[in-house]
Amino acid sequence: MNPRTRKALEFVLDNLVWFMLLFVLVVFSIFVPNYFQLGIFANIIEASSVLGVMSIGLALVIIAGHMDLSVESVAALSAMAVGILFCSSGIGMGVQLHPEWLMVPVSLLLALAVGGLIGAFNGYLVVRVKMSAFIITLASYIWVRGLVLVVSGGRSAQDLAPAIRWFGIQRLVGLPLTAWIAVGCFVVFSLIMAKTPFGRHLVMIGGNETATFRAGIRVNRNLIIAFVLAGAIAGLAGWLLAIRTSGATANLGVGLLFNAFAAVVIGGVSLKGGVGTLPGVYAGVLLLSAINTAINLMGLPANFTQVIHGLLVLAAVLLDAFKQTIRQRLA
Amino acid sequence: MKRILLAVFGILALAFATLTPAFAQSKGIVYYIVPTLLDEFQTGSVSALELFLKQTGYEMKTLNADNKTDAQQSQMNDVIALKPAAIILAAVDFNALKPSIEAARAAGIPVVEFDRQITSTLSDFTSVAGTVEIGYVAADQAEKLLKAKNGSVKGKVLQVLGDPGDPYTLDIQKGFEEKMKAFPDVKIISLPAMQWEASNAGTIVADQMLANPDIDLIFSHAAHLSVAAVASLEAAGKKPGDVMLMSSNGAPVGLDLIRKGWLNVEVEQPLYAQAAAVAMFMDKIAKKEEIKPGEYDVLGLKSTVTKEAWGPNIKIPGAAISKENVDNPAFWGNQKPPTDTVKPVE
């Protein structure tokens, strides 16, 4: 094999999920009525913004060789906290700040703080107390959702303050600002993972924690930061969710966790840790969103979505095994 | 190790601190097995039943099944062992609870069906607005709205269902589509919002408004789904009145949307009356006395008790709420529980 062919093949393997996305978009554009239009593509990006942001935090922890099952509930709690304070209907307290734009940073900081605190709690128990991340974050997934129910009493907060809701309505180049926030998050965290020592250390920790520790890298500190970041990013996802639905309900975000896992796996992140990139995760998120949109337009029963998601995850795992085989042959 | 033990004891202490000892009142304890608490109607039903049963001398305890049929079956088995005065059941799955109902009744515990009618076995009392009937009322309203807009009953309706595994939403769909069959010029697009999650409904509306910009009416099976639908319409640059909206259950958020001009109609489930009816008949249910068919006044609503194959059944008509009557305090969405005390039926 000549070097050019090898290089081309490696490029395809590294970006396989993007080619899958392109293939799916072309197929749907041809066969699904009304699919091929700019508005629908904008919807795909917009609908994927919450899931996308949540997947970033989840991917960070998984790349570092751990697990965070609490992100869905954390997003719901953050959304509910924002909703209770800044919504004017239902259980919303309708808190007003002057000038009005001040509500944006305050609500965002609140969401990030709620998420960051729970992330710190998870990180402390996993890293310092040496408990299983799976069990600790599973417990958080349950108790945090319970907390949503406790603080809301099962009721909704609606009619988010216009200053905050503005991000869901205002468009830039045809996309709502919420979608641009998600894209911005992917760019920033992709750069952090690829270009900073922290990002590289996370990948190393996920690959071999003991060897990384022996190399003098502060493993515990980096892992706790990863959990705090995952929580805070889930908080940001909650803030976006509250904007998107103009409030919060007790069951907001239910089912997002498994979609986030699906996106992360489809995006090429190994559940064993140490492997994966955030651009790949974003492609995975867009792929799921593209399929959901096609199902909406075709009017298929929603159960099909779950079947297709499951098959996609299976296909991603098989493709990953196939990629490894080809790479071994190339080596 | 010390730290772990301290944390464990701390958590356990916190858990026990939230448990308060129960003191049975003179007439006994009634268990209410609620399908979920992630829903305003269900949360409201707990408060209403508790209030009215207290007025008739019963203490109520609630168990939440988290929308899981198996959890509800286990709860029924546990409650049977406690021998309460009665069990009030709002089933997750209308038919899967049949063996549990039969087991409770065999143990001498009366079972009341609340809000979700179970026709496959005998119960001691059923209090419903009727989910299929909600679909009928919604169809009547859709007929009026489409006629007013298009001159005759024609156009496109987007029906946003709840979770496709929930019989409640399937029954509303059945009632709605059954009645709408009479109008062949109405095209109904039905899509489910998985797990009743609001942002799923928002995505459906955003996609469909692009694929079918000529949608006349959006009918969501719960008010909180309408909120997300409105958010999507707003993001698409729509104003109140551009697309007609309708939803069912009568939650506070739905009433707010009517006041703001977004929602045309909310089909109410008469939560207060449904709960009051249970409290009114609880003495007869607990004592296993006969409940006579006929007309009864339940919080000012004329309601009919009939003897059905599944036992005595009270059906309380659901109302259509619009701009004209939205402030009526009788609607549970206005969060003003009745001040009149419920009296047991002699």
Side-chain angles (χ1 to χ4, degrees):
Chain A
M1 192 182 292
N2 66 50
R4 276 185 70 180
T5 313
R6 178 190 289 267
K7 208 172 180 182
L9 196 58
E10 276 179 352
F11 176 79
V12 171
L13 287 175
D14 287 341
N15 298 284
L16 199 59
V17 64
W18 286 102
F19 287 101
M20 276 168 68
L21 173 65
L22 196 64
F23 172 76
V24 158
L25 288 174
V26 169
V27 168
F28 287 154
S29 295
I30 294 166
F31 293 106
V32 179
N34 301 311
Y35 196 92
F36 187 68
Q37 51 175 308
L38 281 176
I40 287 291
F41 295 145
N43 268 7
I44 289 169
I45 297 169
E46 186 201 355
S48 68
S49 53
V50 172
L51 180 64
V53 170
M54 191 182 284
S55 301
I56 294 171
L58 184 62
L60 292 185
V61 175
I62 292 175
I63 287 170
H66 284 273
M67 193 68 74
D68 190 348
L69 302 178
S70 69
V71 286
E72 178 197 296
S73 301
V74 169
L77 185 63
S78 300
M80 189 51 82
V82 170
I84 288 172
L85 280 182
F86 297 103
C87 281
S88 52
S89 295
I91 52 168
M93 291 159 67
V95 169
Q96 291 288 324
L97 298 175
H98 299 287
E100 267 192 39
W101 61 261
L102 208 57
M103 286 190 271
V104 174
V106 170
S107 64
L108 178 58
L109 282 172
L110 173 72
L112 293 174
V114 167
L117 274 172
I118 296 165
F121 174 79
N122 288 339
Y124 175 80
L125 288 177
V126 171
V127 177
R128 296 277 178 210
V129 190
K130 299 284 179 215
M131 295 175 94
S132 156
F134 182 87
I135 300 299
I136 291 300
T137 58
L138 177 65
S140 294
Y141 168 80
I142 298 164
W143 73 257
V144 174
R145 178 63 72 174
L147 201 54
V148 175
L149 198 54
V150 168
V151 297
S152 68
R155 293 199 51 209
S156 313
Q158 301 299 344
D159 214 1
L160 194 61
I164 307 170
R165 181 84 182 107
W166 181 81
F167 285 85
I169 297 168
Q170 199 60 40
R171 286 176 181 259
L172 181 67
V173 201
L175 282 177
L177 293 180
T178 47
W180 286 111
I181 290 168
V183 171
C185 282
F186 268 103
V187 171
V188 168
F189 280 96
S190 296
L191 289 172
I192 287 172
M193 289 304 285
K195 304 285 182 191
T196 67
F198 170 73
R200 286 194 296 273
H201 291 167
L202 277 193
V203 176
M204 287 163 69
I205 292 165
N208 189 329
E209 200 172 309
T210 311
T212 310
F213 175 76
R214 285 184 180 160
I217 290 161
R218 296 167 74 176
V219 170
N220 284 359
R221 193 194 66 164
N222 283 323
L223 279 177
I224 287 180
I225 290 171
F227 274 102
V228 172
L229 276 175
I233 294 166
L236 174 62
W239 187 72
L240 294 173
L241 200 52
I243 288 172
R244 190 154 189 261
T245 57
S246 189
T249 57
N251 74 336
L252 197 63
V254 161
L256 272 175
L257 173 67
F258 296 103
N259 283 339
F261 260 100
V264 166
V265 171
I266 291 164
V269 174
S270 166
L271 291 179
K272 292 171 188 163
V275 176
T277 61
L278 289 180
V281 172
Y282 192 44
V285 169
L286 290 174
L287 187 61
L288 291 180
S289 185
I291 289 163
N292 285 346
T293 300
I295 286 169
N296 282 346
L297 296 184
M298 286 189 287
L300 286 176
N303 307 358
F304 277 77
T305 321
Q306 286 171 298
V307 172
I308 293 165
H309 280 190
L311 292 175
L312 258 176
V313 173
L314 194 62
V317 174
L318 291 172
L319 271 173
D320 195 54
F322 175 67
K323 262 167 38 178
Q324 300 307 334
T325 310
I326 292 179
R327 278 189 200 285
Q328 279 168 1
R329 285 187 189 172
L330 286 175
Chain B
M1 194 64 198
K2 246 186 200 173
R3 263 191 301 193
I4 295 172
L5 281 171
L6 274 171
V8 169
F9 282 121
I11 289 165
L12 286 174
L14 198 69
F16 283 119
T18 60
L19 300 174
T20 49
F23 299 105
Q25 295 199 350
S26 55
K27 289 184 180 178
I29 295 172
V30 173
Y31 272 86
Y32 175 36
I33 303 183
V34 66
T36 177
L37 287 174
L38 297 176
D39 169 324
E40 289 196 77
F41 179 87
Q42 304 300 348
T43 315
S45 72
V46 173
S47 317
L49 280 164
E50 204 165 330
L51 172 77
F52 297 134
L53 282 167
K54 199 174 177 183
Q55 289 174 358
T56 52
Y58 293 89
E59 187 193 347
M60 191 182 92
K61 290 186 177 296
T62 306
L63 297 177
N64 168 24
D66 266 333
N67 258 334
K68 295 183 185 85
T69 304
D70 58 332
Q72 203 161 49
Q73 286 167 329
S74 305
Q75 287 170 346
M76 282 289 283
N77 294 339
D78 292 342
V79 170
I80 289 167
L82 297 171
K83 296 241 179 288
I87 297 172
I88 302 169
L89 172 68
V92 172
D93 185 312
F94 293 15
N95 294 313
L97 269 291
K98 182 185 166 185
S100 307
I101 296 163
E102 286 165 357
R105 297 188 79 247
I109 303 160
V111 179
V112 176
E113 307 306 338
F114 181 77
D115 186 46
R116 300 174 173 207
Q117 199 170 48
I118 294 175
T119 56
S120 55
T121 189
L122 205 61
S123 293
D124 296 86
F125 189 67
T126 298
S127 174
V128 288
T131 37
V132 175
E133 284 78 1
I134 287 170
Y136 292 157
V137 175
D140 289 340
Q141 295 302 315
E143 183 189 339
K144 284 177 194 164
L145 290 170
L146 292 169
K147 197 171 183 177
K149 189 190 175 192
N150 300 329
S152 64
V153 189
K154 62 178 183 188
K156 260 186 197 171
V157 177
L158 170 61
Q159 185 180 207
V160 183
L161 316 173
D163 194 86
D166 189 338
Y168 172 84
T169 199
L170 299 175
D171 268 9
I172 294 177
Q173 181 186 18
K174 185 180 158 193
F176 182 70
E177 290 177 5
E178 204 173 285
K179 269 219 148 180
M180 292 306 286
K181 266 187 193 150
F183 310 106
D185 293 334
V186 177
K187 187 188 176 196
I188 301 171
I189 303 159
S190 300
L191 288 163
M194 297 296 283
Q195 296 183 293
W196 292 95
E197 206 272 347
S199 67
N200 290 336
T203 303
I204 287 167
V205 170
D207 288 341
Q208 284 298 327
M209 288 313 294
L210 280 168
N212 297 289
D214 54 343
I215 284 172
D216 297 290
L217 170 68
I218 298 171
F219 169 39
S220 304
H221 284 199
H224 74 278
L225 300 183
S226 275
V227 175
V230 165
S232 287
L233 291 173
E234 225 177 359
K238 303 278 184 198
K239 296 274 176 293
D242 288 353
V243 179
M244 296 186 292
L245 277 118
M246 178 169 75
S247 54
S248 59
N249 84 357
V253 289
L255 274 52
D256 284 340
L257 288 177
I258 290 175
R259 290 185 186 101
K260 289 185 178 105
W262 279 104
L263 198 69
N264 299 72
V265 176
E266 179 74 27
V267 181
E268 199 224 18
Q269 284 174 267
L271 169 60
Y272 290 144
Q274 277 176 247
V278 171
M280 279 167 59
F281 288 98
M282 188 48 78
D283 281 354
K284 286 191 174 295
I285 294 163
K287 292 174 190 163
K288 299 189 178 68
E289 291 173 357
E290 192 203 357
I291 293 170
K292 290 192 174 75
E295 293 262 306
Y296 291 86
D297 184 294
V298 184
L299 301 180
L301 288 172
K302 269 203 164 42
S303 311
T304 315
V305 171
T306 52
K307 258 214 161 67
E308 304 291 347
W310 56 89
N313 186 100
I314 190 161
K315 194 168 271 186
I316 298 150
I321 308 171
S322 63
K323 230 183 174 82
E324 287 70 41
N325 61 353
V326 68
D327 293 320
N328 184 340
F331 299 136
W332 73 270
N334 283 318
Q335 303 281 291
K336 290 171 185 162
T339 46
D340 297 345
T341 306
V342 170
K343 298 273 188 303
V345 172
E346 297 301 326

